[in-house]
Amino acid sequence: MKEFGKVSVIMPAFNCEHFIAEAIESVQKQTYQNWELLIVDDASEDGTRKVAENYLSEERISIFYNSTNSGTQHSRNKAIQEASGDFIAFLDADDAWKPEKLQKQLYFMQENQLAACFSSYELMDENGIPSNKKIEALPVLTYEKLLKANYVGNLTGVYSVEKLGKIFAPNIQKRQDWALWLEVIQKGGKMESIAESLAYYRIRKNSISGNKLEMLKYNYQVYNKVLGYSAPKSLIKMLIFLKEQLFVKSKQHKKSDF
């Protein structure tokens, strides 16, 4: 198999004892095997830490611990700081990858001389049962398009450290992944995607990402706090975001191929 360099897989984990084994094993099952997995336990209150430690016999897996619950942004950045790979990829502890995910993306990036790429992905319920719904990735994504709404499924994104350096998430509680990909695309130019679904995103009950009204304030923070737009400009961007989310982005939701 062609060698592209080492991939550092970033996995924040909080209270995911029922899901993290599946996430870890989906990394282990990758057809592309030059990877390291960096797990950061964000002071979990359940058995997440114990389950994750069962995999420490795998020398490519490392676990780091937050003494207090510090949020996804802090955990991802802690792992990125420790990463030694040529590429950075993201997988939350309640999601999963398909076996050829890394191999296909690294080949695609090399063939098209890309600094970053992403792919389509499928939804599954809390029990890991596919919901027959696919989020179809845009073929080409510009900074201007990404500014309107987040079109990168974080569990599918990969960027090249060699071309871009390490890019960290900003200090906001939510939507920091969107802000990270905005910086990636700003530095590396347009992103292109693989149309094939390469991952599974788990829909969990009571997830804050499922509370659309709650998430709006975090979207505003991306415009106002991270990008430094004035309050009036941020509000205008929010109106554009709502239009994009309701009438354009919704068209990405398709039935799965199976």
Side-chain angles (χ1 to χ4, degrees):
M1 181 177 294
K2 192 168 185 179
E3 177 60 43
F4 299 100
K6 183 164 71 174
V7 181
S8 294
V9 183
I10 308 302
M11 182 180 289
F14 176 68
N15 290 353
C16 290
E17 65 174 327
H18 300 299
F19 314 119
I20 192 169
E22 182 180 1
I24 293 172
E25 289 171 15
S26 77
V27 177
Q28 291 179 312
K29 292 175 182 176
Q30 289 298 298
T31 54
Y32 187 80
Q33 283 286 298
N34 189 3
W35 51 261
E36 64 174 355
L37 173 59
L38 301 99
I39 303 168
V40 179
D41 178 66
D42 196 16
S44 293
E45 301 163 335
D46 62 357
T48 297
R49 176 173 176 168
K50 184 177 180 180
V51 174
E53 288 175 345
N54 289 333
Y55 294 88
L56 284 178
S57 58
E58 167 68 77
E59 63 180 13
R60 293 172 293 178
I61 297 177
S62 303
I63 305 177
F64 305 90
Y65 305 96
N66 293 336
S67 57
T68 58
N69 183 254
S70 305
T72 304
Q73 169 266 343
H74 177 85
S75 298
R76 283 183 181 145
N77 285 348
K78 188 171 188 174
I80 293 171
Q81 186 65 52
E82 297 289 339
S84 62
D86 304 289
F87 301 89
I88 298 289
F90 299 91
L91 180 63
D92 286 355
D94 51 0
D95 297 328
W97 285 347
K98 295 186 179 183
E100 294 186 343
K101 194 260 187 193
L102 290 179
Q103 179 187 345
K104 288 185 175 182
Q105 286 190 279
L106 295 178
Y107 179 82
F108 181 77
M109 288 172 69
Q110 184 182 75
E111 287 296 296
N112 294 281
Q113 296 296 301
L114 300 171
C117 81
F118 61 114
S119 79
S120 300
Y121 60 96
E122 292 164 47
L123 305 181
M124 61 181 174
D125 67 16
E126 193 152 6
N127 297 315
I129 300 173
S131 63
N132 198 33
K133 292 181 181 178
K134 173 183 175 181
I135 308 301
E136 203 169 72
L138 295 179
V140 178
L141 184 60
T142 64
Y143 182 83
E144 291 73 21
K145 185 67 171 178
L146 186 59
L147 194 60
K148 293 180 179 179
N150 186 12
Y151 281 95
V152 180
N154 198 56
L155 74 166
T156 74
V158 179
Y159 74 80
S160 168
V161 175
E162 179 183 1
K163 292 184 177 182
L164 303 178
K166 288 184 176 180
I167 295 178
F168 296 86
N171 187 26
I172 54 176
Q173 186 179 357
K174 297 289 178 180
R175 295 301 203 205
Q176 71 278 142
D177 56 330
W178 180 24
L180 182 147
W181 293 112
L182 280 167
E183 184 174 350
V184 165
I185 203 169
Q186 190 173 44
K187 287 185 175 180
K190 67 180 182 180
M191 291 176 69
E192 295 182 23
S193 76
I194 295 175
E196 180 183 353
S197 168
L198 297 177
Y200 293 101
Y201 178 83
R202 192 183 307 269
I203 304 295
R204 297 177 61 182
K205 297 175 184 176
N206 303 319
S207 169
I208 190 170
S209 60
N211 187 333
K212 304 304 181 185
L213 290 176
E214 181 72 12
M215 291 305 292
L216 287 178
K217 70 178 182 181
Y218 298 112
N219 291 6
Y220 177 85
Q221 285 185 357
V222 170
Y223 294 125
N224 183 248
K225 184 176 180 179
V226 178
L227 299 179
Y229 294 164
S230 66
K233 185 174 181 179
S234 297
L235 289 172
I236 291 172
K237 291 293 185 182
M238 282 295 298
L239 291 175
I240 296 172
F241 166 84
L242 288 170
K243 179 182 177 182
E244 189 82 6
Q245 192 78 16
L246 294 173
F247 301 108
V248 181
K249 192 180 176 186
S250 59
K251 296 178 182 178
Q252 285 185 281
H253 292 246
K254 309 286 185 179
K255 284 189 176 182
S256 298
D257 297 330
F258 58 88

